[in-house]
Every structure is written in structure tokens, then in C-alpha cells.
Amino acid sequence: MFDWRYMKKVSNLFCAFGVVMVFTTFVMAEVIHVPSDYATIRAGIAAAAEGDTVLLAPGEYQENFTIESKTMVLGSWFVTTQDTSYIARTIIDGGGQTIITVRSTVGAATTIAGLTLRNGRNGIAPNAKIRILHNRISGCEDAIDYSKGSGGLCRYNIIEHNRGEGLDLDE
């Protein structure tokens, strides 16, 4: 069965002789593989277009990055296989800095799923309403540091051994 979630809709308006015609084309969303397509998560996110998925292979990544200006999915192979073993095998180590910052310019369907985040100031610092699903966040000051106006869906995460709050809901 075809999964329509991975489709992007492109519409073009044409006006000829006072008649407006709308042509809609469906284009497959891209799956960007890190590190095989791009060496870093940051580079994969930069290359992603609206609606794309950045899929991380198992391994340990020493990175901090920002998601902004597009709706996307960021996750481990768990996203495509539902195999929970990929969560523990796909690790992003923040080295004491905020691991993932999400700007308010992203869409509500932006999803972070199936990752282990550790050793960050904040594991995830969302400034938008996003989906945070099936992650393990540990060894951070705050696991998820929601800012004013952010929120969304936060389910099936394991939040443990953080120094501050698991979910910081100030403001």
C-alpha cells in the first residue's frame, strides 16, 4: 500500500483568457541518509527540503544543530523499520551544548524520533509545536526544554538521569 505521508504537493496556478487553472503534481519526498549521503547531521538537515526525512544510520554522532524553516522528520532507522534496537544504537552526544534546537519557523509535523540524545545542556530545545517520539534522553541538564509558545506531541520517550528537569515547562 502506498504511504501518502511521504508525498509533497506542488501546485501551480495558470491564468489564460481569464480562466484560472490549477495543476497539482505530487512529488516524492526525499530520504536523506546520514552518513552515506551527507557526512554530518547538520549537512543532511541543510540539504533537506520541505517534507523530507533525514535518516541516521546507527552510530555515535558528536553534533549540535538547529532545525528551522522547514517541516521534516529526523530519526534513526527506527522510523522506517519500527525496530526499537535502533534507538539505543543511534546516539547523538551534545558535548555539554544543546543538542537539537528547533526554531519557531518549522511546521507542526516536524518530528524527532528514535534517537538517543545524551550529554547536552538541553537534549531538545523546541521553540515550536513539534512531535518528539520514541527517544531516549539522558545526561543532560534538561531533557526537553520547552520555550513559551512551543509544545506539540511528546510520547513514548525515556527521560532519565538528567541533572535538571526531564521536561522543562517554564513560561
Side-chain angles (χ1 to χ4, degrees):
M1 182 167 171
F2 190 76
D3 190 347
W4 288 97
R5 290 177 300 162
Y6 297 104
M7 297 298 289
K8 290 191 270 187
K9 183 171 82 172
V10 180
S11 297
N12 297 309
L13 293 175
F14 292 96
C15 183
F17 307 107
V19 177
V20 176
M21 297 181 290
V22 179
F23 295 94
T24 302
T25 307
F26 289 96
V27 181
M28 289 296 293
E30 295 290 324
V31 176
I32 296 170
H33 298 272
V34 175
S36 61
D37 294 336
Y38 292 89
T40 66
I41 301 167
R42 181 177 292 154
I45 290 170
E50 180 74 17
D52 285 351
T53 297
V54 177
L55 207 57
L56 310 182
E60 188 170 324
Y61 302 85
Q62 302 281 329
E63 291 194 54
N64 314 87
F65 50 87
T66 300
I67 300 172
E68 58 188 329
S69 303
K70 57 189 136 193
T71 300
M72 62 177 295
V73 174
L74 172 69
S76 69
W77 289 355
F78 166 80
V79 171
T80 56
T81 66
Q82 300 301 295
D83 181 344
T84 57
S85 73
Y86 288 121
I87 298 169
R89 295 170 37 205
T90 311
I91 301 162
I92 305 173
D93 190 303
Q97 303 298 312
T98 295
I99 300 169
I100 304 172
T101 301
V102 182
R103 299 275 186 238
S104 61
T105 54
V106 305
T110 295
T111 303
I112 299 169
L115 300 170
T116 293
L117 307 176
R118 69 177 188 204
N119 300 327
R121 160 83 177 83
N122 297 307
I124 303 171
N127 296 296
K129 291 178 174 62
I130 64 170
R131 298 184 293 199
I132 302 171
L133 309 169
H134 299 279
N135 298 289
R136 170 175 248 134
I137 307 170
S138 66
C140 296
E141 182 65 31
D142 295 334
I144 303 172
D145 190 358
Y146 286 105
S147 66
K148 186 174 184 178
S150 64
L153 183 63
C154 181
R155 284 191 181 163
Y156 315 115
N157 298 290
I158 297 173
I159 297 173
E160 62 186 0
H161 308 297
N162 294 288
R163 297 176 299 283
E165 293 85 26
L167 298 176
D168 188 342
L169 303 173
D170 294 341
E171 299 182 56

